């Protein structure tokens, strides 16, 4: 049996990747071609970690793709337009797992807005387990359209206390807007 597995593996290597023709079309090694998105980049403290406006030493990022967020309710629809982005007609949420006592300095949101009026909402919420919630950081994007990343500062920094509740990131979006992710800027 061992020889059969090795023989099959060698045959697969000699014949190629064995991907279906549709997976290989327009791609290299089965991966879709790069789309080369150009983002409008709005500055924030997370861009200057060692600068005058940034937090010096020990700062870190946690990037969560829009496609990693899940629908808040079972009745909403979610589509995947590609590139790690998602769209939903309801809120998309994910758990934020950071070390205890970490200091959250802000969140950068990545999105595609097809029109100047289309917006994405950001919520960083804590749930203490008693049915209540506290929004620690909220924001609404301001871009005039296209692919954009925008920073929302938490001032003063939010100190994570995992013993008192869980932390959740939520995104809401206008129709046809792509939510591509959130990057949390923090000090462990």
């Amino acid at each position: 049996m061992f020889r059969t597995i090795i023989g099959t593996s060698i045959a697969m290597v000699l014949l190629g990747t064995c991907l279906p023709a549709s997976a290989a079309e327009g791609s290299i090694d089965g991966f879709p071609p790069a789309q080369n998105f150009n983002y409008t980049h709005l500055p924030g403290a997370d861009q200057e970690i060692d600068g005058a406006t940034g937090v010096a030493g020990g700062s870190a990022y946690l990037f969560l793709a829009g496609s990693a967020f899940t629908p808040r309710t079972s009745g909403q629809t979610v589509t995947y337009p590609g590139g790690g982005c998602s769209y939903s007609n309801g809120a998309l949420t994910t758990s934020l797992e950071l070390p205890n006592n970490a200091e959250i300095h802000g969140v950068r949101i990545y999105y595609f807005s097809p029109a100047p009026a289309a917006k994405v909402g950001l919520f960083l919420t804590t749930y203490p387990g008693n049915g209540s919630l506290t929004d620690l950081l909220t924001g609404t994007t301001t871009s005039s359209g296209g692919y954009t990343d925008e920073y929302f500062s938490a001032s003063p920094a939010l100190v994570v206390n995992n013993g008192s509740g869980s932390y959740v990131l939520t995104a809401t979006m206008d129709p046809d807007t792509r939510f591509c992710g959130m990057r949390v800027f923090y000090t462990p």
Side-chain angles (χ1 to χ4, degrees):
M1 180 169 170
F2 184 67
R3 286 185 191 173
T4 305
I5 294 172
I6 291 175
T8 303
S9 298
I10 292 171
M12 289 174 69
V13 169
L14 293 174
L15 291 174
T17 62
C18 297
L19 291 174
S22 60
E25 289 176 15
S27 65
I28 298 172
D29 296 330
F31 293 99
Q35 298 184 23
N36 298 322
F37 297 127
N38 292 315
Y39 271 86
T40 300
H41 183 69
L42 302 178
D46 65 326
Q47 298 300 309
E48 303 173 20
I49 292 177
D50 295 320
T53 61
V55 178
S59 296
Y61 298 108
L62 175 63
F63 195 108
L64 302 157
S67 58
F69 285 62
T70 58
R72 181 183 277 171
T73 67
S74 61
Q76 69 192 76
T77 60
V78 179
T79 59
Y80 180 71
C85 302
S86 290
Y87 166 74
S88 181
N89 61 348
L92 297 174
T93 66
T94 194
S95 179
L96 177 60
E97 305 291 333
L98 292 177
N100 202 44
N101 296 319
E103 293 183 355
I104 301 171
H105 302 289
V107 177
R108 182 168 292 276
I109 189 166
Y110 294 79
Y111 60 99
F112 173 79
S113 173
K119 306 292 182 204
V120 176
L122 157 75
F123 301 87
L124 170 55
T125 307
T126 185
Y127 296 92
N130 64 3
S132 68
L133 64 92
T134 302
D135 285 327
L136 302 173
L137 178 63
T138 63
T140 303
T141 60
T142 62
S143 174
S144 60
Y147 282 95
T148 305
D149 61 84
E150 192 168 344
Y151 184 70
F152 295 90
S153 180
S155 183
L158 303 168
V159 179
V160 174
N161 181 348
N162 290 319
S164 67
S166 61
Y167 294 80
V168 173
L169 289 169
T170 302
T172 59
M173 62 222 69
D174 287 338
D176 299 322
T177 304
R178 296 177 184 182
F179 164 59
C180 300
M182 291 184 191
R183 186 177 74 182
V184 180
F185 176 49
Y186 72 101
T187 303

